Amino acid sequence: ACGGPMQDRMGDLGKSAHMHSTSFLSTPSPLKLALVLLNIDGGVDTDRLSLGGLWSMANLRICADGAANRLHDSLGHNERSQMLPDVISGDLDSLRGDVADYYREHGVSIEHQADQDSHDFEKCLMWLRQRQAEDGIRFSVVAYGAFGGRLDHMMANMNMVYKYSCFERFILLTRHSLAFQLKPGMNIIEPNLDVENGSCGLIPLGGRCEGVI
């Protein structure tokens, strides 16, 4: 029979632990995915994990202001007309006129939120939180392009995971990194080796990490 002290211990831990799986990044899932595309540097890579598969699996697709420019410019004519966001949200100081005209002509909603006390990512999350309340379901957020560029922007993105606990799951994602919040107590992480290399780092921002098994 298979088993042993470690397997038995993990089995006992699993009964009370918070489970974290990223299998939904590459396989169909019952999660209601809301994909938020952030204004990342270097265009949008639709050939990796990432955007192509997530786009097709997402129930909602949201561009944060200038991210719509990058999406538009990274796609050919045929792809562009097929990969249409459901909404573009933000203060719209980065959204180009030609891009706005294109998406309006293709039925994309453009939501102008002038409030300067929140950044474009948070404006998207506020819109999504309202949509979630209206639909009566909980979305799982995947924010693509959450890392890279200015440190204060990255820290602000991480703060959103703490601030918006109303969502079922909340993942920050780039081509090279993936991050999510661990809840207090025991957590078991199951990496998705189809799209991850199995490496895992713990960053104790909001509390101590007592140990790793």
Side-chain angles (χ1 to χ4, degrees), residues 7-28:
Q7 288 83 350
D8 293 341
R9 187 179 181 190
M10 291 303 294
D12 292 338
L13 293 176
K15 296 176 183 178
S16 59
H18 303 291
M19 304 296 295
H20 303 272
S21 170
T22 53
S23 61
F24 69 90
L25 292 175
S26 60
T27 58

Side-chain angles (χ1 to χ4, degrees), residues 81-151:
S81 63
Q82 294 171 1
M83 294 181 67
L84 296 171
D86 295 286
V87 64
I88 301 168
S89 182
D91 60 13
L92 307 185
D93 63 340
S94 301
L95 182 65
R96 297 201 316 264
D98 62 307
V99 174
D101 291 342
Y102 175 85
Y103 284 123
R104 281 196 189 96
E105 291 170 1
H106 286 78
V108 175
S109 176
I110 299 179
E111 301 280 343
H112 179 221
Q113 301 186 51
D115 171 29
Q116 292 302 304
D117 292 329
S118 59
H119 49 73
D120 289 327
F121 183 18
E122 185 165 14
K123 289 177 171 64
C124 291
L125 295 174
M126 290 189 290
W127 181 90
L128 184 58
R129 180 175 59 187
Q130 180 178 344
R131 176 66 179 268
Q132 178 172 263
E134 293 171 353
D135 291 354
I137 61 175
R138 293 185 73 192
F139 288 107
S140 291
V141 176
V142 177
Y144 184 89
F147 303 118
R150 287 170 46 178
L151 177 61

Side-chain angles (χ1 to χ4, degrees), residues 8-58:
D8 293 341
R9 187 179 181 190
M10 291 303 294
D12 292 338
L13 293 176
K15 296 176 183 178
S16 59
H18 303 291
M19 304 296 295
H20 303 272
S21 170
T22 53
S23 61
F24 69 90
L25 292 175
S26 60
T27 58
S29 163
L31 295 175
K32 301 296 184 182
L33 294 183
L35 178 62
V36 182
L37 187 61
L38 303 183
N39 193 10
I40 57 177
D41 294 328
V44 176
D45 187 349
T46 58
D47 294 326
R48 293 177 63 87
L49 157 93
S50 322
L51 202 49
L54 286 173
W55 193 273
S56 63
M57 291 189 290

